[in-house]
Amino acid sequence: MTTTFDSKSSTAVALPVEDQGEPVGIEADIRRLAQRLHRMEGEKEQLLGDIRDSYLEAKQLGIDVKALKRVVKLRRQPADQRQAEEDTLESYKRIMGLVPDFEKTPIGAHIAQAQMREAMDRLQGDPALAATAARLVDAFGSVEAARGAIEAVTAMSDQETIAGGGATVTPIGRTGGGRN
């Protein structure tokens, strides 16, 4: 017999137990869960040892283990969470001056030059304007430096004569020469 507490009458009640053999009810659940957890803890220790061995192997191969751990961590994150963290970090790095301006990086300079060539190609329809843009590039010393000036020239609100160049600018999207 097993003694249990009856919550309704606040007294101890003797309940029969089957043959004192295999546990039943909650006792069986506790034993089953304890055995499973014990087995999984052993497996966890084995996995942790395997992970340590893998990082040791990476170190022996000359791989930066700290960077490898970071990559493994990143792979576990959902893509949107990973992107949000990278964007935030990039913003903070820019604020702190740890990242050069994009146009000063090799790929940024390449893109800026490609955009400038595209703008120059659009200006080829007006030889005088193209010549003025070329003079601006020469005056500013680089395509990147002249970019703002060239964009300002091409975005003027109405026709004007550029001093010294004699070029007439016809604004994009405008058909008349009057002021608004």
Side-chain angles (χ1 to χ4, degrees), residues 83-120:
Q83 186 62 49
E85 284 183 18
E86 289 175 2
D87 291 346
T88 301
L89 178 62
E90 188 68 23
S91 295
Y92 286 15
K93 286 168 47 177
R94 280 192 194 286
I95 289 168
M96 298 304 298
L98 299 174
V99 177
D101 291 333
F102 180 69
E103 290 182 357
K104 293 180 182 172
T105 64
I107 189 73
H110 177 75
I111 290 172
Q113 287 176 347
Q115 290 172 339
M116 185 55 63
R117 280 191 299 272
E118 183 180 309
M120 295 292 279

Side-chain angles (χ1 to χ4, degrees), residues 142-162:
S142 72
V143 171
E144 293 83 14
R147 183 182 197 178
I150 292 173
E151 287 175 0
V153 167
T154 58
M156 294 173 100
S157 62
D158 54 58
Q159 283 189 341
E160 293 183 13
T161 301
I162 300 172

Side-chain angles (χ1 to χ4, degrees), residues 19-38:
D19 292 341
Q20 296 294 64
E22 290 295 316
V24 293
I26 192 71
E27 292 173 3
D29 291 338
I30 291 171
R31 282 186 184 215
R32 179 179 50 80
L33 288 169
Q35 289 170 348
R36 183 183 337 151
L37 289 166
H38 179 74

Side-chain angles (χ1 to χ4, degrees), residues 120 122-137 150 153-154 160-170:
M120 295 292 279
R122 285 193 309 255
L123 297 175
Q124 292 304 318
D126 184 344
L129 187 56
T132 300
R135 282 195 304 276
L136 285 171
V137 170
I150 292 173
V153 167
T154 58
E160 293 183 13
T161 301
I162 300 172
T168 301
V169 178
T170 303

Side-chain angles (χ1 to χ4, degrees), residues 42-63:
E43 291 172 0
K44 181 171 99 173
E45 288 301 318
Q46 178 63 40
L47 284 173
L48 288 174
D50 292 346
I51 290 169
R52 273 190 301 273
D53 292 345
S54 295
Y55 282 122
L56 181 61
E57 179 184 354
K59 184 177 182 177
Q60 290 170 346
L61 292 171
I63 295 171

